[in-house]
Amino acid sequence: MLSYYKTVGGVMRELAASEPGCWINCIAPNDSEISGLIEDFGVEPDFLRAALDEEESPRIDQEDNSTLVIVDIPVVEKQESGRLFYSTRPIGIIFTETNVITVSLQENPVLDEFADGAVRSVQTNLKTRFVLQLMLRIASRYLMYLKQIDRMSDAVEQELRKSMKNNELIQLLDIEKSLVYFSSSLKQNEITLEKIMRGRAIKLYDEDQDLLEDVLIEVKQAIDMSNIYLNILSGTMDAFASVISNNLNIVMKVLASITLIISIPTVISGFYGMNVTKMPMPSFWFPLALSGICMVVAAFILKKKKMM
């Protein structure tokens, strides 16, 4: 699907067709739309293939009059179990002589905010500034999702303190996986932004320097937050693993003590039932009383040694 947008009088407007200085938003394009982008805007086919590859890493590539910038954008998906899972997807930003083209496999809230005019001071004809504003919004989305992940982690931890069930542990593993995705993507985005800062791949103007620095600050802050949350979660997982192992040891110790106590009547009754000698005491009450006394004594000794 191709959509065309342009800032007219400070307001984002959707166009029926492309114009110089407009932003072209391309989401999951079909073959005819891809062919149109190649013919009408001179986009390299390799650029489109790279932008539509889910495994593509953030990078910058140049070819003739076109420049490709790929960055990872955070996404949140709802699983079948109803839990939220956070991951990242690549988005391609292609600079042509007169337009900026964004290419992605699925819709995302960041591009929707620009299309709806929710982002202020956007000028689609100022290509570099427009892309930097897009990257700033992506970095802010990372920070927002990281705060959500932190709150989710705290809630799961509280549940885990009460129940110690596998469901909560699986949720923590999913959160840890999300943080790993975020941390890796943010570091690669940072490298891409540093290449842009050198001014070789994309022409930077004086008024864009401050905006680029703001983007880098947001990305570095998101990297620090993801690393902190990941370290805290890893420590939490190790602590709960130790607690679960310790609880298992306590249960096994108690079961072993109970097994030892229960085996006393079996030994005494078996010994008393052997026809090797005559016992002076009645055949029922004597082994029963002796078993009870031995069980009480064994329980007292085990309790004193903190085995029960």
Side-chain angles (χ1 to χ4, degrees), residues 66-284:
S66 299
T67 301
L68 170 67
V69 179
I70 295 180
V71 293
D72 280 341
I73 189 169
V75 295
V76 56
E77 301 172 350
K78 195 169 186 178
Q79 298 176 325
E80 294 181 359
S81 59
R83 295 195 300 264
L84 298 178
F85 180 73
Y86 296 84
S87 60
T88 59
R89 293 286 186 276
I91 178 175
I93 304 171
I94 302 174
F95 287 82
T96 66
E97 292 183 356
T98 57
N99 303 93
V100 173
I101 305 173
T102 56
V103 184
S104 58
L105 283 171
Q106 61 186 22
E107 295 183 2
N108 58 78
V110 175
L111 295 179
D112 291 342
E113 288 176 351
F114 279 84
D116 295 338
V119 183
R120 298 180 179 179
S121 303
V122 174
Q123 296 291 333
T124 56
N125 59 316
L126 303 177
K127 296 183 293 183
T128 302
R129 188 169 186 84
F130 173 73
V131 171
L132 291 178
Q133 288 174 321
L134 177 60
M135 291 184 175
L136 181 61
R137 207 71 178 182
I138 292 173
S140 300
R141 180 69 56 168
Y142 271 109
L143 292 172
M144 185 182 73
Y145 284 166
L146 283 169
K147 293 176 182 178
Q148 293 179 4
I149 289 174
D150 184 46
R151 289 194 295 268
M152 186 187 305
S153 177
D154 290 339
V156 174
E157 183 180 341
Q158 293 300 323
E159 290 295 326
L160 192 57
R161 290 176 184 269
K162 301 174 184 177
S163 62
M164 291 290 179
K165 293 181 180 179
N166 291 336
N167 187 40
E168 283 75 20
L169 289 174
I170 293 174
Q171 289 186 54
L172 286 180
L173 287 174
D174 288 341
I175 293 173
E176 186 176 24
K177 187 186 298 184
S178 298
L179 288 172
V180 171
Y181 285 146
F182 276 20
S183 179
S184 176
S185 296
L186 283 166
K187 289 177 181 177
Q188 292 176 329
N189 284 356
E190 182 187 21
I191 294 173
T192 303
L193 286 169
E194 289 175 347
K195 290 181 180 178
I196 294 176
M197 179 170 276
R198 298 189 188 104
R200 298 176 183 175
I202 299 174
K203 185 177 180 180
L204 292 175
Y205 299 92
D206 294 337
E207 57 270 19
D208 296 329
Q209 290 293 337
D210 292 338
L211 182 56
L212 179 56
E213 290 176 1
D214 291 339
V215 178
L216 274 171
I217 290 173
E218 291 284 302
V219 170
K220 290 179 184 296
Q221 183 180 353
I223 292 174
D224 291 338
M225 286 179 62
S226 62
N227 290 335
I228 291 172
Y229 293 159
L230 187 58
N231 291 334
I232 292 174
L233 186 59
S234 298
T236 301
M237 294 284 288
D238 293 340
F240 277 115
S242 299
V243 170
I244 292 172
S245 178
N246 185 56
N247 291 342
L248 178 62
N249 292 336
I250 292 173
V251 171
M252 295 303 296
K253 182 173 65 174
V254 173
L255 290 176
S257 301
I258 293 174
T259 302
L260 177 62
I261 294 173
I262 292 176
S263 65
I264 292 176
T266 304
V267 174
I268 294 177
S269 60
F271 179 75
Y272 190 79
M274 294 191 311
N275 296 323
V276 295
T277 182
K278 289 185 177 181
M279 294 293 181
M281 301 292 292
S283 59
F284 177 74

Side-chain angles (χ1 to χ4, degrees), residues 6-23:
K6 187 174 183 180
T7 306
V8 180
V11 180
M12 185 71 73
R13 304 288 187 186
E14 186 172 2
L15 306 177
S18 64
E19 295 180 3
C22 76
W23 160 44

